[in-house]
Amino acid sequence: MLAIPAVLALLIPLGACVHVPFLHRGEAELRSMTEPVLLSPSLPVRAYVALDKREADVYLTDLSDDQLTRFFDDDASWAAFEGQIVHVRMFIQPRAGRTPIEPTAISATVRYAIMSNGSIGVYAGAGFCLPRSDPGGNSFAASLTGADVRLARATPDFVDLLGPARLSVDFNAPNNPELAATLRERLDALARYADPVDARVSAHVED
């Protein structure tokens, strides 16, 4: 029997919720579209880097400084890491009269990685990112609304309790290219370590 990842034990039955509170900056809500569950973490470690005047990479995580430092240590056990890393890439800055300004438009891609008990799941998708400031300044504030995501990569022991899900996140991230690069390296490593979900399905069918 597969163990439920500890991070996903934080999933809240929606039937127990009267309402979903307004998201505070640095918080996320990953809500299943098919199951009565959601994941709502606080992501206090934030960084962004401007790609140009209209594009930005934003990273958010609840991993500690110590965990981020030890991530690639030779003796580090990923089973000891519990947390999430979120990457939002705004590839076009919505502007009234030039681009659609509505939740159904697409202006950003997203990756959402979950680590728990040595298991890894990486969700990916796209949604509408509405900035409150322009890329290039000391900080970048925006909200990602209703991004549709699905499990894209996972280790064999990862249990997907969400299925197709919808991600919303609100953030104000400082301009910190060095930390953004560090978080990108960690997220890319998780994605490489996990298998494409299509490959997992194919292997199961062959068995």
Side-chain angles (χ1 to χ4, degrees):
M1 179 178 180
L2 292 177
I4 296 175
V7 168
L8 293 187
L10 299 176
L11 287 167
I12 305 169
L14 293 185
C17 297
V18 176
H19 69 284
V20 176
F22 177 78
L23 290 177
H24 297 285
R25 294 178 186 178
E27 292 185 350
E29 177 191 285
L30 187 58
R31 177 189 293 261
S32 173
M33 296 171 63
T34 58
E35 303 295 333
V37 290
L38 67 84
L39 182 62
S40 185
S42 177
L43 303 166
V45 179
R46 305 182 295 275
Y48 101 95
V49 58
L51 305 178
D52 59 29
K53 294 181 179 180
R54 297 184 302 170
E55 300 180 66
D57 273 334
V58 182
Y59 295 88
L60 308 97
T61 186
D62 54 1
L63 294 175
S64 67
D65 289 341
D66 178 63
Q67 287 176 315
L68 291 172
T69 300
R70 294 189 297 107
F71 203 92
F72 290 126
D73 287 353
D74 292 337
D75 59 348
S77 171
W78 285 8
F81 291 82
E82 299 281 344
Q84 292 124 114
I85 302 177
V86 180
H87 171 211
V88 177
R89 167 166 286 186
M90 187 182 76
F91 58 82
I92 185 170
Q93 185 171 10
R95 293 195 180 278
R98 297 183 181 181
T99 61
I101 307 292
E102 57 185 42
T104 56
I106 302 296
S107 63
T109 58
V110 62
R111 290 186 294 168
Y112 191 116
I114 297 174
M115 302 177 64
S116 182
N117 293 330
S119 64
I120 298 166
V122 181
Y123 295 79
F128 181 66
C129 184
L130 183 63
R132 296 188 295 272
S133 59
D134 295 329
N138 291 332
S139 64
F140 178 59
S143 59
L144 179 75
T145 306
D148 291 331
V149 299
R150 292 176 180 268
L151 186 65
R153 306 183 72 91
T155 53
D157 54 348
F158 184 81
V159 181
D160 180 17
L161 299 180
L162 289 160
R166 192 155 285 164
L167 174 66
S168 297
V169 59
D170 193 276
F171 56 83
N172 188 350
N175 191 340
N176 190 333
E178 183 178 355
L179 178 56
T182 295
L183 294 174
R184 184 187 68 243
E185 290 173 357
R186 273 60 176 175
L187 181 53
D188 288 348
L190 293 176
R192 288 193 300 269
Y193 187 75
D195 298 321
V197 169
D198 290 344
R200 292 206 316 170
V201 173
S202 298
H204 178 72
V205 171
E206 292 175 359
D207 290 345

